[in-house]
Amino acid sequence: VTDKDRQVDRFLNASLIAAAAAYALGKIVTVDQDYWQGWTFYEIIKYAPVHNWSAYEEALRSHPVLAKMMISGIVYSIGDWMAQCYEGKPVLDFSRTRMLRSGLVGFCLHGSLSHYYYHVCEALFPFKEWWVVPLKVGFDQTIWSAFWNSVYFITLGLLRLENPVTIVSELRSTFFPLLTAGWKLWPFAHLVTYGLIPVEQRLLWVDCVELVWVTILSMYSNEKAEARSSEDAEKS
């Protein structure tokens, strides 16, 4: 890759970040634009957080699955970007393709599956006593985590067009390290998830924590693929 190619990539990445940030900020600030007549700038800023939350709750009521899919898609894209930065890549030298793959998995699978999972979890553990919270956390950190980590790992491998045998082999080698890595973070976060957060709001809280977890998940899922790419590049 030449210096000119790197400069083009950095420009495209910077443009992507700037466009996404401008769009997000614009949507947040203009939530009340239909009612702005006579408002001061202070009033616009003052009411924006409350009315954005109201708009989010309305989206949950009208399109609950789609709203959660969009949140997860954004979080999984940002999480992969953070993973690439943590791996040592400069902020603007990230792989857009890799980030898109992670965001696609978050959008298509994590948001929708999590929506149904939290409702299934409530049906499996319908009790209201305090002791049901650790039961839900235990179920989450065994059955659900094992399932979701595997889905993420396998789907990313398929999106990279890798050999299924290679994907399964690498999943076996990372399955338990990845599962146990989650035990250092999620049990504490899920005491809040299952103890304090209403079921419809859980994914938003979980996705806030996911910014850290997707960084870890993405590094585990892409580590060997990145190494193979580097070896192929050196050989060529």
Side-chain angles (χ1 to χ4, degrees), residues 18-37:
Y23 177 79
L25 184 62
K27 293 293 287 184
I28 291 170
V29 173
T30 61
V31 66
D32 293 316
Q33 63 180 341
D34 293 338
Y35 312 101
W36 274 358
Q37 188 171 0

Side-chain angles (χ1 to χ4, degrees), residues 9-208:
D9 263 353
R10 288 176 189 145
F11 174 77
L12 291 174
N13 289 344
S15 300
L16 177 64
I17 293 172
Y23 177 79
L25 184 62
K27 293 293 287 184
I28 291 170
V29 173
T30 61
V31 66
D32 293 316
Q33 63 180 341
D34 293 338
Y35 312 101
W36 274 358
Q37 188 171 0
W39 285 26
T40 64
F41 179 74
Y42 171 75
E43 288 173 324
I44 293 173
I45 299 302
K46 176 183 177 181
Y47 293 115
V50 176
H51 293 170
N52 272 288
W53 181 258
S54 298
Y56 165 68
E57 289 187 318
E58 177 57 34
L60 281 183
R61 285 190 293 270
S62 58
H63 301 94
V65 178
L66 180 59
K68 294 170 185 177
M69 288 170 66
M70 293 187 69
I71 293 170
S72 287
I74 293 168
V75 166
Y76 270 67
S77 297
I78 296 173
D80 183 80
W81 178 34
M82 291 170 60
Q84 294 187 54
C85 292
Y86 186 82
E87 290 164 2
K89 294 180 181 178
V91 173
L92 295 180
D93 282 350
F94 61 91
S95 166
R96 294 185 302 277
T97 303
R98 174 177 157 178
M99 188 174 72
L100 177 62
R101 281 196 298 260
S102 184
L104 191 63
V105 175
F107 176 79
C108 293
L109 296 176
H110 185 261
S112 55
L113 290 177
S114 294
H115 168 79
Y116 294 109
Y117 161 69
Y118 288 120
H119 285 282
V120 168
C121 189
E122 288 302 298
L124 290 174
F125 304 100
F127 314 104
K128 302 300 180 184
E129 290 78 3
W130 66 268
W131 49 263
V132 79
V133 173
L135 281 181
K136 289 178 180 177
V137 173
F139 181 81
D140 187 290
Q141 285 305 288
T142 51
I143 305 301
W144 171 249
S145 286
F147 170 74
W148 172 246
N149 292 349
S150 300
V151 167
Y152 182 81
F153 196 101
I154 291 170
T155 306
L156 276 190
L158 293 174
L159 289 174
R160 289 194 298 262
L161 303 179
E162 293 187 345
N163 188 317
V165 175
T166 302
I167 296 172
V168 172
S169 174
E170 293 182 356
L171 175 60
R172 285 176 178 170
S173 66
T174 59
F175 180 83
F176 283 107
L178 191 57
L179 187 66
T180 54
W183 295 347
K184 300 173 184 178
L185 170 68
W186 284 113
F188 307 101
H190 281 325
L191 289 176
V192 176
T193 305
Y194 295 108
L196 300 175
I197 310 294
V199 64
E200 280 299 327
Q201 304 288 355
R202 282 177 187 165
L203 188 61
L204 180 61
W205 158 250
V206 167
D207 273 342
C208 289

